[in-house]
Amino acid sequence: MASLLSPSLSVPPPRNKVNSVSASTIAAKTPPAGNFQPTARNGRNYGCRWMIKANMSAGADVLEKDSVSAESVDDANDYGVVSMHHVGILCENLERSLEFYQNVLGLKINEARPDDKLPYRGAWLWVGSEMIHLMELPNPDPLTGRPQHGGRDRHTCIAIGDVSKLKVILDKAGIPYTLSRSGRPAIFTRDPDANALEFTQV
């Protein structure tokens, strides 16, 4: 998830017009090795840090920006976010939901997760290395009057490799869907309990 940031920098124009340095001039040049440092805490990469010294001299005045950080992270607030672990989805009937999630979408049950430790029925389904937790509980959301397009509703987004193949699967199962309004390769549908699902091609 961590990635190096692009070496471009947005610098507001100086108030005086003496030897102003534009951001494009800075970004166009590769900084010396000593002035471009990766920033890491607790073994995690937080991007890059520019060490910039810009000379705006009008009689030897020097404006020095030590450590203009492309991404500032407050150590006190860094509690170690790693990834999304699971999404909880409410269902009225577990078997009906499993028919959809397993037999239509092809998701597999995580057998290692206990299904008898909670005071309600449920199942854990693998979505890549993360999971969906189906929970057979009363749903406070209405089943009718929801937006036709799931992108305008609370939704769970799943990254997939080929939207066109999923379209064929949904067509064959007679399950309605809408495509992304932005034109990107993404498809929206709903499960049997009207929970909105987005599948975006990556």
Side-chain angles (χ1 to χ4, degrees):
M1 296 179 88
S3 62
L4 292 178
L5 297 177
S6 170
S8 61
L9 182 64
S10 177
V11 178
R15 293 184 185 268
N16 60 20
K17 296 185 178 181
V18 180
N19 293 337
S20 63
V21 179
S22 71
S24 60
T25 303
I26 294 172
K29 297 181 179 181
T30 303
N35 291 342
F36 185 64
Q37 301 173 351
T39 304
R41 291 183 181 86
N42 300 327
R44 295 173 60 213
N45 180 17
Y46 285 99
C48 299
R49 176 173 290 193
W50 290 92
M51 305 295 285
I52 298 173
K53 293 184 179 180
N55 184 358
M56 301 181 68
S57 64
D61 288 338
V62 175
L63 172 65
E64 189 172 298
K65 288 285 186 188
D66 287 330
S67 183
V68 176
S69 188
E71 181 180 347
S72 62
V73 176
D74 183 356
D75 282 328
N77 294 329
D78 178 17
Y79 53 93
V81 172
V82 175
S83 69
M84 187 73 73
H85 184 269
H86 72 273
V87 174
I89 294 180
L90 301 179
C91 63
E92 181 182 30
N93 181 280
L94 184 60
E95 285 72 28
R96 181 181 67 177
S97 292
L98 286 174
E99 171 69 24
F100 173 76
Y101 283 95
Q102 284 186 285
N103 298 338
V104 176
L105 298 182
L107 302 184
K108 307 294 184 192
I109 288 183
N110 180 356
E111 301 288 354
R113 298 293 294 194
D115 59 3
D116 58 352
K117 302 289 186 186
L118 297 171
Y120 51 84
R121 299 175 70 221
W124 297 81
L125 299 161
W126 283 115
V127 181
S129 60
E130 287 74 40
M131 291 170 284
I132 285 176
H133 184 197
L134 289 176
M135 300 179 289
E136 192 179 81
L137 290 168
N139 192 339
D141 292 329
L143 297 180
T144 59
R146 307 292 284 273
Q148 180 189 8
H149 181 60
R152 293 177 174 266
D153 200 352
R154 288 182 295 275
H155 61 276
T156 299
C157 182
I158 299 172
I160 62 173
D162 193 336
V163 164
S164 62
K165 287 185 178 179
L166 180 58
K167 282 175 62 177
V168 171
I169 291 169
L170 295 177
D171 285 336
K172 185 176 178 182
I175 295 172
Y177 56 82
T178 56
L179 300 178
S180 171
R181 302 290 169 90
S182 68
R184 64 191 171 83
I187 189 169
F188 292 80
T189 190
R190 292 185 182 273
D191 75 0
D193 294 277
N195 296 302
L197 301 170
E198 175 184 356
F199 297 86
T200 187
Q201 184 171 306
V202 296

